[in-house]
Amino acid sequence: MSADKKLFIKTYGCQMNVYDSERMAEALGGKGYVQTDTPDDADMILLNTCHIREKAAEKVYSELGRFKGLKAANPDLKIGVAGCVAQAEGEEIIRRQPMVDLVVGPQSYHRLPAMDDTVRRGAKALDTDFPEDDKFDMLKKRKRASRAPTAFLTVQEGCDKFCAFCVVPYTRGAEVSRPSARVISEAHELVESGVKEITLLGQNVNAYHGHEGGLAGLIWELDKIDGLERIRFTTSHPNDMDDALIDAHGSCDKLMPYLHLPVQSGSDRILKAMNRKHTAESYIKLIERIRAARPDLLLSGDFIVGFPGETDEDFEDTMSLIREVNYGQAYSFKYSTRPGTPAAEKPQLPDDVAADRLQRLQALLKSQQIANQDAMVGGRVKVLFEKEGREAGQLIGKSEYLHAVYAEAPKEALGQVVEAKVVESSPNSLAGVCL
Ligand code: SAH
Ligand code: SF4
Ligand code: F3S
């Protein structure tokens, strides 16, 4: 192995990219790379990119522009683009930005070591295949001396849903589930190196079919792992919330009472145009069933405003759905036209209409989030402490509902679940006193 080379990875987009970045670093570790947290002295810079909205994709090119000086100063510096922009744009990236040496799509990360050999020889390396082999099997093992108390674990990738606005089925390919035995052995390794909470990841994680019992079957297997205290999963599609998964929310103690269940719109007309294959009413009924199983569950969602053809009335339907459901937290976006998706062919709404709607929608969601957090004051939460806070003696962790919680606690409490009384609510966090 050669002397250590420095690898700088910058990650955009969803949690799956966070997970992938870690696996890429591990794969390149075998080629003598160690990670660094600044691009300034790196031998390789990798941007792990997101294509979901136009802004996210364009960011990549402005970021690349900033590395020009570094490349001029160090001709041995190699620059790579990974992730969903790499998959969507392929060699176009090198055409637009010739200083890029390497372009690798999300399904080809196990080929990175060979691609490193290619770029070190001075050639360009491009791989945006969807190979048959399981990249996770071929990537290096995740063994490590110690880890943070929380970890992501990808169990499913890709999407077959083809919502009319979304690039994911094109950038991540068809739905593929990892066999449960592999997921479970990876979970054991994580727990052995100190992980207490695992978040199962998938673009449509509740469509997981690597276990005969589906995602719920996998969760119950993970439930048996001693030392694993918390299980979460994200992101789910309403149409794949089966009875077993709803039941698990009521009966599996390790499964946390938090669910991210995007609905996108509250208008049936728009849901149909989006190809979501569910109605506002079926979504609300589903939420009722989930809350019957787990009444304190904190619900999160995603919304898009300004989808082609969305009228004021459609938008008001979305506002009504939000009022009816009452979200503990949510993400909302202005519709972004993505080339190659069916919705991009439709007449687009003026930007100011979408911007105005987004503002109103976000104000409503924010007021629900604040009201929900305020209602926690005086109650108790269980906090898994993850890191030290800014003030001395303070630790930061997550409640079972995924609130950020600050509390005074000894350093030894890091990695522990501690019960705390909530004494204050701020817009994005809670303050607690350990009991
Ligand atoms: N698989 C998940 C999330 C995919 S992307 C799901 O089905 O819910 C995350 C979120 O980005 C989506 O839920 C959607 O709200 C948003 N999004 C996707 N494409 C978009 C686009 N073209 N414009 C604006 N927001 C978009
Ligand atoms: Fe995109 Fe829809 Fe698939 Fe989610 S379900 S990843 S929004 S196509
Ligand atoms: Fe973005 Fe790809 Fe994730 S488009 S949201 S990084 S799946």
Side-chain angles (χ1 to χ4, degrees):
M1 196 157 51
S2 52
D4 281 352
K5 289 174 281 186
K6 291 194 176 128
L7 170 68
F8 174 73
I9 305 187
K10 185 156 183 179
T11 307
Y12 304 85
C14 61
Q15 290 109 322
M16 198 158 295
N17 271 7
V18 176
Y19 176 85
D20 285 343
S21 289
E22 197 180 301
R23 304 299 303 261
M24 285 194 273
E26 286 162 1
L28 286 169
K31 301 292 289 181
Y33 282 96
V34 289
Q35 256 180 294
T36 167
D37 49 17
T38 152
D40 299 339
D41 60 348
D43 300 287
M44 163 121 40
I45 295 174
L46 267 185
L47 298 182
N48 192 6
T49 60
C50 174
H51 200 243
I52 203 84
R53 284 169 288 275
E54 192 181 352
K55 251 195 206 144
E58 281 306 313
K59 232 189 256 170
V60 176
Y61 291 101
S62 55
E63 189 74 37
L64 285 171
R66 290 174 45 200
F67 297 140
K68 261 200 186 126
L70 290 177
K71 185 96 174 173
N74 174 13
D76 288 336
L77 167 65
K78 302 298 172 191
I79 295 181
V81 178
C84 292
V85 175
Q87 189 63 47
E89 299 189 1
E91 54 190 328
E92 177 62 26
I93 297 174
I94 299 178
R95 221 169 288 141
R96 239 179 109 173
Q97 196 49 275
M99 68 170 184
V100 170
D101 300 285
L102 179 158
V103 175
V104 60
Q107 302 311 322
S108 303
Y109 294 155
H110 53 293
R111 296 177 174 169
L112 266 172
M115 295 175 83
D116 179 58
D117 294 340
T118 306
V119 298
R120 290 288 153 206
R121 284 198 306 270
K124 303 271 185 203
L126 172 84
D127 196 333
T128 52
D129 287 350
F130 286 107
E132 286 292 307
D133 34 294
D134 179 354
K135 70 170 178 191
F136 297 110
D137 242 18
M138 319 209 18
L139 283 168
K140 265 184 69 152
K141 284 258 190 251
R142 306 186 72 192
K143 269 245 174 342
R144 269 209 208 166
S146 72
R147 288 183 164 274
T150 62
F152 293 133
L153 203 177
T154 295
V155 302
Q156 181 273 350
E157 248 193 291
C159 182
D160 297 336
K161 298 270 192 289
F162 290 93
C163 299
F165 49 81
C166 183
V167 294
V168 171
Y170 312 98
T171 63
R172 294 275 172 168
E175 264 179 40
V176 179
S177 295
R178 298 177 68 193
S180 61
R182 293 202 198 129
V183 173
I184 290 157
S185 79
E186 194 174 325
H188 273 288
E189 283 171 20
L190 291 172
V191 172
E192 277 158 26
S193 52
V195 169
K196 301 286 171 56
E197 173 182 300
I198 292 180
T199 302
L200 305 173
L201 299 182
Q203 264 92 26
N204 258 310
V205 72
N206 56 347
Y208 177 76
H209 56 262
H211 186 281
E212 57 188 12
L215 185 64
L218 178 66
I219 288 170
W220 284 113
E221 295 281 348
L222 295 170
D223 181 67
K224 293 182 202 153
I225 300 180
D226 281 339
L228 177 62
E229 298 190 30
R230 295 179 155 191
I231 304 167
R232 304 180 185 277
F233 60 87
T234 197
T235 298
S236 303
H237 191 285
N239 292 359
D240 293 314
M241 274 314 285
D242 62 14
D243 291 345
L245 193 53
I246 296 175
D247 288 348
H249 269 295
S251 53
C252 180
D253 291 339
K254 290 187 184 178
L255 183 59
M256 291 295 103
Y258 175 95
L259 179 64
H260 183 64
L261 198 63
V263 65
Q264 316 297 355
S265 166
S267 151
D268 287 344
R269 222 175 56 80
I270 295 299
L271 286 168
K272 191 152 196 278
M274 286 177 164
N275 193 31
R276 289 289 294 183
K277 300 199 172 81
H278 59 75
T279 62
E281 195 192 340
S282 69
Y283 178 83
I284 287 167
K285 287 255 156 65
L286 175 63
I287 300 296
E288 282 168 6
R289 285 172 53 220
I290 300 166
R291 281 185 168 149
R294 182 75 203 223
D296 63 337
L297 181 121
L298 188 142
L299 199 75
S300 162
D302 287 345
F303 298 89
I304 294 178
V305 299
F307 186 79
E310 185 186 71
T311 62
D312 284 338
E313 204 184 335
D314 293 322
F315 174 69
E316 290 307 329
D317 286 345
T318 303
M319 296 290 274
S320 307
L321 178 136
I322 293 172
R323 282 187 206 98
E324 192 161 346
V325 171
N326 185 9
Y327 288 88
Q329 82 120 77
Y331 304 90
S332 46
F333 314 96
K334 222 169 18 172
Y335 167 73
S336 171
T337 312
R338 307 312 288 129
T341 60
E345 311 296 317
K346 303 274 163 57
Q348 309 288 303
L349 287 192
D351 190 64
D352 57 333
V353 172
D356 178 60
R357 287 178 188 166
L358 185 64
Q359 210 173 24
R360 288 181 52 208
L361 183 113
Q362 289 186 333
L364 175 60
L365 288 168
K366 192 83 204 163
S367 71
Q368 292 190 341
Q369 182 185 331
I370 290 173
N372 274 290
Q373 292 199 181
D374 287 352
M376 301 294 296
V377 176
R380 290 176 176 202
V381 286
K382 294 197 181 84
V383 189
L384 171 56
F385 285 118
E386 294 173 24
K387 55 184 181 199
E388 290 179 68
R390 250 182 260 140
E391 285 166 36
Q394 190 186 54
L395 298 184
I396 306 176
K398 293 278 163 58
S399 77
E400 54 272 64
Y401 310 103
L402 213 59
H403 304 109
V405 183
Y406 294 76
E408 269 184 33
K411 249 186 167 174
E412 298 75 62
L414 281 173
Q416 309 285 324
V417 177
V418 176
E419 191 157 24
K421 186 174 172 191
V422 180
V423 291
E424 205 184 306
S425 149
S426 328
N428 291 311
S429 63
L430 300 173
V433 172
C434 292
L435 296 169

